[in-house]
Amino acid sequence: EYVEKSWNYVNEKSIPQMRELIINYDPDIMWFDTHAWLPKDMTRVIVEEAKTLKPDMIINSRGTPGIQDYFSTNDRPEYFQRTDRQYWEAIPTTNDSYGYHAYDKSHKPVSFFVDLLVRAAGRGGNLLMNVGPMGNGEIDPVDVKILARIGDWLIPNGESIYGAERTPLAVQAWGDTTVKGNKLYLQVMNWPTSGQLVVGGLKSDVKSAYFLTQDDGAGLDHERLNDLDVVLSVPEEAPDALSTVIVLELDGAIVADLAILLSPSVTSNTLHVFEGELHGKGIKWGGGNVRTNFIQTWSDAQSYISWPIRANEDSRYKLVAHYTGMRDNIGNVFTIEIAGQSFDATVEKQGKYRAVTAGEVDIPAGGHTLVVMAKALKPGSNLVNLTDVSLIPLK
């Protein structure tokens, strides 16, 4: 009975409505969703019919397995895994609702969405921004304000986002990078306090450096700090509070070193788990949305995560781990190892984005590997739902 009703839904409602949309409106993209609510043989019939009606129409990955033109990530993303997928798209909302919800006041700041734009563009992806109209068809004024402020940033800075390609550079202490041709766009979200901005891991020679929004053509002083890094002279204060974009015109293709360069002149050096490398079979990332922005599975005591890092000078940092505490991992102990030093931390409480200070570490100049591993893992539990390890400079 349920199978018959489902086929009736497919043949008498879903496909006729889809035909109406395609025939009457000739869309370039058909965006499917909730495919898991129907058996695969039914979703396949729907998507194949769409392709038959308009073969060149672009279709996302939420229709049926194996028939898609690009990949849709999890909803409500907070951070992105690096991927070699050629085409992918993330789907954020201004709050936590995809339709209008009068009581959902969890709207995120504009800086959150500018950060997402930068991260998506720098990893070869697209951002599909979602807001739900109110019952009268208008957009909530709160959403309008957020969208307008994103637009205010994009109008002068869009060159660094639209058509950008994956960056080969590691994440930077001050932000991230996007690429277009021989131009490297520095998206500076954490402005350095030293008057110098170091681009870590850039082996390519720089021909010129300047602010993207600067009209007078004046460049920024730059020089090679060493074989792996380039340093720019910058003002003490950020020209743009959201993200200041600096353009580097390079002499040829980008050549990069993948180690993450620590900076003693930013508020915090954040090593997100999606920027690290997982080792072992019992450890897996979450999807990166508001509920899975961490290592979601860590059931094997032999599994661990590591980050390659570098320091250009001897420095001292406070080690802080951020995690989401679950009931099953309270009492588990994990160890952070770096530069021959070891620090233990215990999962103490439930709750989102808990912070635990592991200690203070001295990191000498040179290359290192920061590792997080199990010290005490209760049977049948996950070690810790780790989001990042932050190294906070100590002056």
Short mmCIF file of all heavy atoms in Angstrom, two decimals, residues 82-87 166:
data_model
loop_
_atom_site.label_atom_id
_atom_site.label_comp_id
_atom_site.label_asym_id
_atom_site.label_seq_id
_atom_site.Cartn_x
_atom_site.Cartn_y
_atom_site.Cartn_z
N ARG A 82 38.83 20.30 2.87
CA ARG A 82 39.47 20.45 1.56
C ARG A 82 39.11 19.23 0.72
O ARG A 82 39.16 18.10 1.20
CB ARG A 82 40.98 20.60 1.71
CG ARG A 82 41.35 21.93 2.38
CD ARG A 82 42.84 22.13 2.46
NE ARG A 82 43.15 23.37 3.15
CZ ARG A 82 43.44 24.52 2.57
NH1 ARG A 82 43.45 24.59 1.24
NH2 ARG A 82 43.73 25.60 3.27
N THR A 83 38.74 19.45 -0.52
CA THR A 83 38.26 18.37 -1.37
C THR A 83 38.80 18.54 -2.78
O THR A 83 39.09 19.66 -3.21
CB THR A 83 36.72 18.34 -1.41
OG1 THR A 83 36.28 17.34 -2.33
CG2 THR A 83 36.15 19.68 -1.85
N ASP A 84 38.92 17.42 -3.49
CA ASP A 84 39.34 17.50 -4.89
C ASP A 84 38.14 17.43 -5.83
O ASP A 84 38.30 17.30 -7.04
CB ASP A 84 40.33 16.39 -5.23
CG ASP A 84 39.78 14.99 -4.97
OD1 ASP A 84 38.60 14.87 -4.55
OD2 ASP A 84 40.51 14.01 -5.18
N ARG A 85 36.91 17.51 -5.28
CA ARG A 85 35.72 17.54 -6.14
C ARG A 85 35.81 18.78 -7.04
O ARG A 85 36.08 19.88 -6.58
CB ARG A 85 34.44 17.61 -5.31
CG ARG A 85 34.17 16.35 -4.50
CD ARG A 85 32.87 16.50 -3.73
NE ARG A 85 32.63 15.41 -2.82
CZ ARG A 85 32.03 14.27 -3.14
NH1 ARG A 85 31.63 14.08 -4.38
NH2 ARG A 85 31.85 13.32 -2.25
N GLN A 86 35.52 18.59 -8.33
CA GLN A 86 35.67 19.70 -9.26
C GLN A 86 34.63 20.79 -9.02
O GLN A 86 34.93 21.98 -9.08
CB GLN A 86 35.56 19.20 -10.71
CG GLN A 86 35.87 20.28 -11.74
CD GLN A 86 35.90 19.75 -13.14
OE1 GLN A 86 35.59 18.59 -13.37
NE2 GLN A 86 36.28 20.58 -14.09
N TYR A 87 33.39 20.36 -8.73
CA TYR A 87 32.33 21.33 -8.50
C TYR A 87 31.58 20.96 -7.21
O TYR A 87 31.12 19.84 -7.07
CB TYR A 87 31.33 21.34 -9.66
CG TYR A 87 31.95 21.64 -11.00
CD1 TYR A 87 32.07 20.65 -11.97
CD2 TYR A 87 32.45 22.92 -11.30
CE1 TYR A 87 32.64 20.92 -13.20
CE2 TYR A 87 33.03 23.18 -12.52
CZ TYR A 87 33.12 22.19 -13.47
OH TYR A 87 33.71 22.46 -14.67
N ARG A 166 40.85 27.16 -6.50
CA ARG A 166 41.44 26.63 -5.26
C ARG A 166 42.82 27.25 -5.02
O ARG A 166 43.61 27.43 -5.94
CB ARG A 166 41.63 25.12 -5.36
CG ARG A 166 40.39 24.31 -5.14
CD ARG A 166 40.72 22.83 -5.20
NE ARG A 166 39.51 22.06 -4.99
CZ ARG A 166 38.64 21.76 -5.96
NH1 ARG A 166 38.88 22.17 -7.19
NH2 ARG A 166 37.56 21.06 -5.69
#
